[in-house]
Amino acid sequence: MRLTTVDAQSSAGAIASAEAEFGRRTEVSEVAIRSEVSNRTYDAVSELNRTDGLLELNSAYQLERNGFGLDALIDYDSTLTSEVATSGFVQVNKRRTSLFAAPSWTYSLTDRASLEFGANYTDVTYEDVGEIPLYNYRMSGGSIGGTYLWSERTQLFSQLTFDRYEADQVGTSSDTIGLLVGGAYAISERLSLTALVGPRLATSETPSPLGGTETQDSTGVLVDLSVEKRFNVGKLELSGSQALLPSSNGDLASTTSAGLDLDYPIGARWSLLVGADAYRNRNPDGEESINDRDYVSLEPRLRHQLGDWWQLDLGYRVRYQKYTEQQESAFSNAVFLNLGYTPAPR
């Protein structure tokens, strides 16, 4: 249950979730609102019971040459799931509140070229963590980029980014500058590739034992790759990235990640779904840390469409986590039977 080798526990459980989406689209504007509530109850480990919720907004407004957008998210969840990509502290059930906002502006220079300006702000807080090394943090930044339509199949991108990370409880902060260049290429009508790569420079400040602050610089590479293959029904998506992610450890985490999502029909009413994620977290400066770890998750599912609105899934999930400074690795196995109801949109 907790991805730990100490006092490992198993349990049967039940998950109930509901999701609603609302939207409005005109010739020049689009607004979408998504809300979700989920409740998890476990038989043998009741301290892991929890209710999570989120509210998400995506909006866009297009004029002749100017386009404006705003994305926002309020996420109230648990550290049992929120720390998977960074710290891996998924052993205790503590509440986390995450606020996110990202306005953007796009200006069309010509029919082929455009400029994009964006900003983002993230605020994450934890409740009642006590001695657990989970620290509130903020992440803010901005970006400026350009897009050029080289041909019907090829788009070129460039982007300059700046991000500032702050964890006031431990007195640490980091500034990161990155430059990304790349493009998107439609190999065929159903197969496309997107790739961005470039250098980054990070400057971090940490409290000194003797008073004052210590400053340290680190360099690295930013990578963002994705491949999408579309079928008549369903699709395959592959992704990979190298980036500095905000972390509850009180510092940025140099994270290498890979992902796979497959939705493949194997009959009139049957589908195979596979989800996989892998993360490698390291210190940005390359020095060994107690937070260095590797994580892998694989979840194949077999789906049967019971009717137009009902579906039944049988799934299996295996997870692996290993901290470099610990001798033992943790495994988690789970079997799911999911019944879903998705009414037709109105």
Side-chain angles (χ1 to χ4, degrees), residues 194-262:
T194 302
L196 290 166
V197 63
R200 59 92 176 154
L201 171 65
T203 301
S204 61
E205 294 184 354
T206 58
S208 172
L210 302 178
T213 59
E214 295 180 352
T215 302
Q216 189 169 26
D217 295 332
S218 67
T219 58
V221 178
L222 299 175
V223 179
D224 190 357
L225 304 172
S226 64
V227 179
E228 181 179 289
K229 170 65 176 178
R230 295 174 295 277
F231 310 109
N232 289 333
V233 177
K235 63 181 178 180
L236 168 66
E237 293 180 321
L238 301 172
S239 62
S241 69
Q242 169 66 47
L244 292 181
L245 298 183
S247 167
S248 60
N249 292 331
D251 200 355
L252 295 173
S254 178
T255 303
T256 303
S257 65
L260 178 149
D261 284 293
L262 172 66

Side-chain angles (χ1 to χ4, degrees), residues 55 63 65 161 202 236 275 295 306 312:
L55 181 64
L63 299 175
R65 285 184 175 270
T161 64
L236 168 66
Y295 171 89
L306 299 175
L312 182 68

Side-chain angles (χ1 to χ4, degrees), residues 63-306:
L63 299 175
E64 183 176 355
R65 285 184 175 270
N66 295 278
F68 302 93
L70 175 62
D71 297 331
L73 175 68
I74 302 174
D75 194 358
Y76 183 68
D77 58 7
S78 166
T79 55
L80 293 170
T81 52
S82 65
E83 306 305 303
V84 165
T86 52
S87 68
F89 294 154
V90 295
Q91 288 78 43
V92 292
N93 181 14
K94 299 297 182 181
R95 305 310 304 174
R96 186 194 77 145
T97 302
S98 177
L99 306 177
F100 171 79
S104 62
W105 170 42
T106 302
Y107 181 74
S108 298
L109 300 172
T110 67
D111 292 340
R112 290 176 174 265
S114 62
L115 290 176
E116 295 94 23
F117 304 87
N120 61 82
Y121 177 78
T122 302
D123 186 288
V124 174
T125 57
Y126 300 91
E127 299 177 12
D128 190 31
V129 294
E131 299 299 323
I132 303 170
L134 294 169
Y135 308 108
N136 303 342
Y137 65 84
R138 299 185 303 275
M139 188 82 165
S140 56
S143 65
I144 178 173
T147 301
Y148 182 74
L149 182 62
W150 181 267
S151 67
E152 292 183 356
R153 290 191 172 189
T154 307
Q155 278 186 301
L156 302 179
F157 306 116
S158 64
Q159 189 177 51
L160 179 66
T161 64
F162 172 79
D163 293 295
R164 179 168 179 81
Y165 170 88
E166 297 174 287
D168 294 338
Q169 289 174 294
V170 287
T172 61
S173 63
S174 298
D175 294 323
T176 305
I177 297 176
L179 176 64
L180 287 164
V181 294
Y185 179 66
I187 301 172
S188 66
E189 292 183 356
R190 297 188 177 183
L191 180 62
S192 60
L193 168 67
T194 302
L196 290 166
V197 63
R200 59 92 176 154
L201 171 65
T203 301
S204 61
E205 294 184 354
T206 58
S208 172
L210 302 178
T213 59
E214 295 180 352
T215 302
Q216 189 169 26
D217 295 332
S218 67
T219 58
V221 178
L222 299 175
V223 179
D224 190 357
L225 304 172
S226 64
V227 179
E228 181 179 289
K229 170 65 176 178
R230 295 174 295 277
F231 310 109
N232 289 333
V233 177
K235 63 181 178 180
L236 168 66
E237 293 180 321
L238 301 172
S239 62
S241 69
Q242 169 66 47
L244 292 181
L245 298 183
S247 167
S248 60
N249 292 331
D251 200 355
L252 295 173
S254 178
T255 303
T256 303
S257 65
L260 178 149
D261 284 293
L262 172 66
D263 182 351
Y264 187 74
I266 54 177
R269 290 187 174 272
W270 292 90
S271 298
L272 173 65
L273 297 93
V274 180
D277 294 291
Y279 300 100
R280 166 166 284 191
N281 305 112
R282 296 294 186 267
N283 251 355
D285 57 15
E287 297 182 1
E288 291 188 1
S289 166
I290 60 174
N291 299 317
D292 293 351
R293 62 127 195 179
D294 298 314
Y295 171 89
V296 178
S297 173
L298 174 65
E299 183 176 352
R301 288 184 290 156
L302 191 62
R303 170 169 294 178
H304 179 58
Q305 198 71 31
L306 299 175

